[in-house]
Amino acid sequence: MVNFFEHQQQAKRNTGLLVVLFFLAFTLIIGFVAVVTAAVFGGIAVQQNGDYQFSWQPIAWVVLIVGGGILTAMLVKWLSLKPGGHVVAESLGGVRIEPNSTDPLERRILNVVEEMAIAANMPVPAVYLLPNEANINAFAAGYESKDAVIGLTRGAVETFSREQLQAVVAHEFSHILNGDMRLNIRLIAALAGILLIAHVGRMFLHSARFSTSRRRGNGNALPLIGLALFIIGYIGVFFGNIIKAAVSRQREYLADAAAVQFTRNPEALSGALQQIGAREYGSKIGHANADETAHLFFGQALSSWFTLMATHPPLDKRIKRIQPNWNGRYPKPKKAMVQSVAEQQASQPQPTALNRLAMLALPALLLERVRSPQQAPQFIRDMLVGKLLGEEQPQLETLNAAQQLALVELAIPALRVAKDSDRLGLLRDLEQLEHSNDLFHWCLYQLLARQLIESKRFKVKLDNAEAFAATVVALKRAEAQQPLNLVQLEQALNTCKSWSPKAKQPLVQKWVETVTSDQHISDTERKLVATLCACIEEPLPDEMLTNSASSNFA
């Protein structure tokens, strides 16, 4: 039996070591540039006895200028990517799929992404289709979950069966949940800073050529500096790319293991990888901007003859980790979208414990409303604050807590593209929940606000231990129907949300222990754990995924 938890831990350990190595190399590059430049400008001199004499002031100035230039280039690149994953998706030719699209192909994609988002207990991200990419691939991009996007190539959508598509989307969700998107953006920015050194060196070489032609016979240090910077810069980029590729390979192993653990279906992910191997061009991306973002993709996006530069592990190794008994033979290529009507109906999601969206049995009319940018703001407002204001909503009063949470998560894409006046009006009405002792609906307001309001609103934090304790106390007081310190709880959630997935696990486990201490999970406790997990972007623990948990927690 494959131990996927062990694979995840191994990948995390390897990633940490490689990230440390990356920044060590980054520091050494700055040091080399400083030494070379300082030597040219007199910061290092050789005395007659062969000893070196250092003049620290010029060296310090060089370090300051070089370091400042690199950090500026990194900052510019980081700021260009910070607006969200849509920047990356659009740079690759991606087209956003409208949340209420009725196109069969687009609806198929959206349905799968919605299913996996609800299963992961997180808001539905924006979805992009790369219509000009006939090969099989997918990616997740963004700085945090509120600006995350999932992208799929046309080839992937037309090729994968529903189960395979679910597995690949689960793989991309694991990148979001494990913080890989933020790490990827930082690596891109760091490499942009290193590349600046090579660009400056090239500029010096060009300027030195023209300067020398005008002043022959005069000493000119620019060619030496330019050549040194050019060489150091490109050596730095070369080794930086090797380390970045190694980090990416470890994160792919991690995402594969997490996706299998998430879907409980190793055959689906293995089958998706085998479909890539069955094709001549597999997962190659043809867009000119694929070079910079190759490490974001599900499969190897660029040809790489040099193994150390490959951003993804070899397909056979990935498949063997997932399915050790695989015979090594790839199947014949096929397209799932040419299935018969009966085959397509048979592949529709069935109500299982994992597929929470199917179990919720949400009315089609409500799904239509939450997917519509025109209707979603008013619908969410009626569902969350209508009862608080004494308004009668007979259709909505029958919704249980699980359905309400799912509808909020499903509405996020439509709310993001709704008219500003509608979205701001919704948030203004929801502020009435800020001081409500109904912790469940307060958490739903927090979930919405964290997705739709600027992050600076949620900057105030507590000490880690204090935040941990505050959430546990809130659970106990809510079950006992005692007053809550909601200001402190919001600050505690701000703190916990920024923790790593590994740090969040003991907190969620403590929540589960708190609500199961009497050997019974009440409906109130169940829905509070679910909404608190959603607020800190942590999947529901297995204890919450029983049939009663996933269908009601009413």
Side-chain angles (χ1 to χ4, degrees):
M1 180 68 180
V2 179
N3 189 334
F4 292 104
F5 284 118
E6 183 179 330
H7 284 179
Q8 291 176 50
Q9 291 303 318
Q10 180 183 357
K12 288 177 181 178
R13 286 193 299 269
N14 292 342
T15 298
L17 177 62
L18 288 165
V19 170
V20 170
L21 185 61
F22 184 94
F23 285 101
L24 176 62
F26 184 75
T27 303
L28 288 174
I29 289 166
I30 295 179
F32 279 129
V33 172
V35 168
V36 169
T37 311
V40 173
F41 285 104
I44 304 175
V46 181
Q47 297 180 325
Q48 290 184 347
N49 60 4
D51 293 335
Y52 292 94
Q53 181 178 359
F54 296 90
S55 299
W56 294 110
Q57 187 172 1
I59 294 176
W61 274 109
V62 168
V63 170
L64 183 64
I65 293 170
V66 171
I70 291 175
L71 291 175
T72 300
M74 290 174 59
L75 180 62
V76 169
K77 188 64 178 180
W78 178 74
L79 289 175
S80 72
L81 297 172
K82 195 174 185 298
H86 69 92
V87 176
V88 174
E90 290 164 7
S91 74
L92 292 166
V95 177
R96 181 170 182 152
I97 301 176
E98 295 300 323
N100 57 343
S101 173
T102 56
D103 177 84
L105 184 70
E106 294 180 351
R107 191 70 255 162
R108 181 174 186 261
I109 303 170
L110 291 172
N111 286 344
V112 169
V113 173
E114 288 177 351
E115 290 161 12
M116 302 316 293
I118 298 303
N121 197 42
M122 65 178 289
V124 179
V127 184
Y128 279 77
L129 177 66
L130 306 187
N132 299 320
E133 299 292 347
N135 296 321
I136 302 173
N137 225 321
F139 67 91
Y143 192 71
E144 53 185 338
S145 67
K146 68 183 292 183
D147 56 47
V149 307
I150 285 181
L152 293 152
T153 64
R154 177 171 55 85
V157 179
E158 292 178 346
T159 298
F160 292 147
S161 67
R162 170 176 278 277
E163 286 189 342
Q164 290 169 350
L165 192 58
Q166 281 183 325
V168 172
V169 170
H171 173 103
E172 300 308 327
F173 267 105
S174 72
H175 281 308
I176 298 173
L177 293 168
N178 284 310
D180 293 346
M181 298 188 306
R182 183 172 299 191
L183 174 62
N184 286 334
I185 285 179
R186 288 172 176 168
L187 290 175
I188 291 173
L191 281 172
I194 296 173
L195 188 60
L196 175 70
I197 298 173
H199 288 330
V200 171
R202 186 188 290 114
M203 288 170 54
F204 280 5
L205 283 172
H206 282 298
S207 62
R209 185 178 62 186
F210 293 113
S211 169
T212 304
S213 64
R214 292 195 302 267
R215 299 185 301 161
R216 294 192 180 276
N218 295 330
N220 187 359
L222 281 181
L224 179 59
I225 297 175
L227 181 61
L229 293 179
F230 184 82
I231 293 173
I232 292 173
Y234 273 105
I235 289 176
V237 170
F238 176 75
F239 284 104
N241 273 317
I242 287 178
I243 298 173
K244 183 187 77 170
V247 171
S248 175
R249 290 195 295 272
Q250 293 303 317
R251 302 314 281 185
E252 290 306 313
Y253 279 136
L254 172 60
D256 284 346
V260 171
Q261 203 68 47
F262 187 50
T263 62
R264 276 75 164 177
N265 191 352
E267 290 80 10
L269 186 61
S270 172
L273 292 168
Q274 289 178 45
Q275 282 299 315
I276 293 176
R279 286 161 173 72
E280 181 180 359
Y281 296 105
S283 54
K284 301 299 182 292
I285 298 295
H287 199 281
N289 292 333
D291 184 28
E292 189 178 60
T293 57
H295 62 296
L296 303 179
F297 283 90
F298 171 70
Q300 183 73 31
L302 300 173
S303 299
S304 179
W305 58 270
F306 186 31
T307 305
L308 291 177
M309 295 292 282
T311 55
H312 291 65
L315 277 175
D316 56 346
K317 285 189 177 181
R318 291 177 71 180
I319 296 170
K320 280 286 188 181
R321 279 199 173 203
I322 299 166
Q323 213 172 7
N325 295 327
W326 178 55
N327 60 15
R329 294 194 296 270
Y330 294 108
K332 291 183 178 180
K334 70 173 184 176
K335 288 196 173 185
M337 291 303 287
V338 297
Q339 291 175 318
S340 67
V341 174
E343 288 174 325
Q344 291 187 41
Q345 289 176 345
S347 69
Q348 291 301 305
Q350 301 301 313
T352 64
L354 179 64
N355 193 340
R356 294 178 56 221
L357 183 55
M359 292 191 67
L360 291 170
L362 294 167
L365 179 61
L366 299 189
L367 287 173
E368 182 181 335
R369 293 182 66 184
V370 295
R371 289 166 175 164
S372 167
Q374 292 76 35
Q375 299 182 57
Q378 185 63 41
F379 174 82
I380 295 297
R381 183 255 179 215
D382 291 343
M383 185 177 73
L384 298 188
V385 300
K387 187 175 181 180
L388 183 67
L389 299 176
E391 300 171 359
E392 292 188 7
Q393 302 283 346
Q395 185 182 20
L396 302 183
E397 289 175 1
T398 61
L399 295 173
N400 61 47
Q403 291 173 319
Q404 291 182 54
L405 174 57
L407 287 168
V408 167
E409 292 173 335
L410 290 169
I412 295 295
L415 293 175
R416 288 197 183 110
V417 296
K419 290 194 301 185
D420 289 344
S421 58
D422 292 343
R423 185 171 58 255
L424 294 174
L426 168 65
L427 291 168
R428 191 164 50 246
D429 289 340
L430 292 182
E431 286 177 0
Q432 297 181 69
L433 293 169
E434 272 196 302
H435 306 293
S436 169
N437 268 328
D438 182 346
L439 184 57
F440 172 66
H441 285 92
W442 179 87
C443 283
L444 290 183
Y445 163 68
Q446 285 285 313
L447 176 60
L448 279 167
R450 290 169 190 277
Q451 293 295 316
L452 302 177
I453 297 177
E454 291 185 14
S455 300
K456 62 183 180 183
R457 148 77 192 275
F458 304 102
K459 289 296 185 184
V460 181
K461 297 181 180 180
L462 302 176
D463 172 80
N464 285 343
E466 187 180 359
F468 191 109
T471 61
V472 176
V473 169
L475 267 179
K476 293 178 178 177
R477 294 183 71 85
E479 175 65 8
Q481 297 185 341
Q482 297 174 343
L484 303 170
N485 186 341
L486 294 177
V487 173
Q488 183 189 50
L489 181 56
E490 179 177 303
Q491 294 171 0
L493 292 177
N494 298 345
T495 307
C496 300
K497 182 175 177 291
S498 64
W499 292 352
S500 68
K502 184 177 181 181
K504 290 176 184 177
Q505 290 173 4
L507 174 65
V508 175
Q509 191 57 44
K510 182 63 178 179
W511 292 347
V512 174
E513 291 174 5
T514 299
V515 300
T516 56
S517 59
D518 58 357
Q519 308 302 313
H520 170 70
I521 306 178
S522 71
D523 293 335
T524 301
E525 291 169 331
R526 198 183 301 282
K527 68 186 182 184
L528 291 180
V529 171
T531 48
L532 286 171
C533 283
C535 284
I536 66 168
E537 299 172 3
E538 183 70 8
L540 276 171
D542 288 343
E543 293 89 334
M544 299 287 118
L545 285 175
T546 61
N547 287 339
S548 60
S550 55
S551 60
N552 289 317
F553 51 90

